[in-house]
Amino acid sequence: MNSIATRTGDDGTTSLLFGRRVPKTDIRIVANGRVDELNVRLGMAKACLPADETESRAFIEQVQRNLVNLMGEVAVAPEDWERYAASGMPNFDDALLGVLDARVARLESEGFTYKGWATPGGNLPAAAIDCARTACREAELGLLAVHEAKLLNPTRADLILQSLNRLSDVLWLEARRAESAIAAPQA
């Protein structure tokens, strides 16, 4: 039986895909930690949504699956990009950017538009979505650092960075939608 406690990271290193060891402080590992945090916060937001919010739950799950694939892409050394492409491992979905753009358009057509800064915390689902939004910004910054260091596959970088930027926009709108849909608890 394989154990999660491999002890191979006890020396402060971890593996990229295909076995290359790097320090846990490597910017790819840090960026993946931020993407993982975003994924967890999206999970919390999903858990806070009312049971009848099936469309929002499905949307969040679609994003979460893509974030797992994104972490795989980030955890590849440049010399292994071709090997990764040939491996059949899943990529961050090229269509996600279009899904995000369509979601922005839909939410804005429903009247949820940017009207200045919001004060998060109108209710639990909105607050959880706003937490995911701020984690998204952090993940975007981490991925930008990986890209600037030329450690993110340049054929994928624009799609990835644009998608994370757009996701934070969607989450801002989703939080405003959640605030309007569910009354805040009375004090």
Side-chain angles (χ1 to χ4, degrees), residues 96-131:
L96 186 63
L97 183 58
V99 169
L100 295 168
D101 281 333
R103 193 128 181 120
V104 166
R106 178 173 173 199
L107 290 166
E108 288 180 340
S109 75
E110 293 174 6
F112 303 104
T113 59
Y114 179 74
K115 297 175 185 152
W117 294 104
T119 304
N123 57 46
L124 186 57
I129 295 168
D130 273 320
C131 284

Side-chain angles (χ1 to χ4, degrees), residues 23-132:
K24 290 183 180 181
T25 56
D26 184 285
I27 60 173
R28 291 167 289 197
I29 304 308
V30 172
N32 267 350
R34 289 177 175 179
V35 173
D36 188 33
E37 182 175 353
L38 168 58
N39 202 349
V40 169
R41 288 181 187 252
L42 284 168
M44 178 61 78
K46 181 175 61 178
C48 289
L49 289 172
D52 64 348
E53 285 286 342
T54 56
E55 182 185 335
S56 293
R57 286 173 180 274
F59 168 73
I60 289 173
E61 287 175 11
Q62 178 183 16
V63 171
Q64 288 181 291
R65 283 190 302 275
N66 272 284
L67 292 176
V68 171
N69 296 344
L70 171 59
M71 288 190 288
E73 287 193 60
V74 173
V76 177
E79 51 271 30
D80 290 325
W81 288 337
E82 286 182 28
R83 184 176 178 191
Y84 184 82
S87 73
M89 288 186 216
N91 283 323
F92 186 76
D93 188 355
D94 294 358
L96 186 63
L97 183 58
V99 169
L100 295 168
D101 281 333
R103 193 128 181 120
V104 166
R106 178 173 173 199
L107 290 166
E108 288 180 340
S109 75
E110 293 174 6
F112 303 104
T113 59
Y114 179 74
K115 297 175 185 152
W117 294 104
T119 304
N123 57 46
L124 186 57
I129 295 168
D130 273 320
C131 284

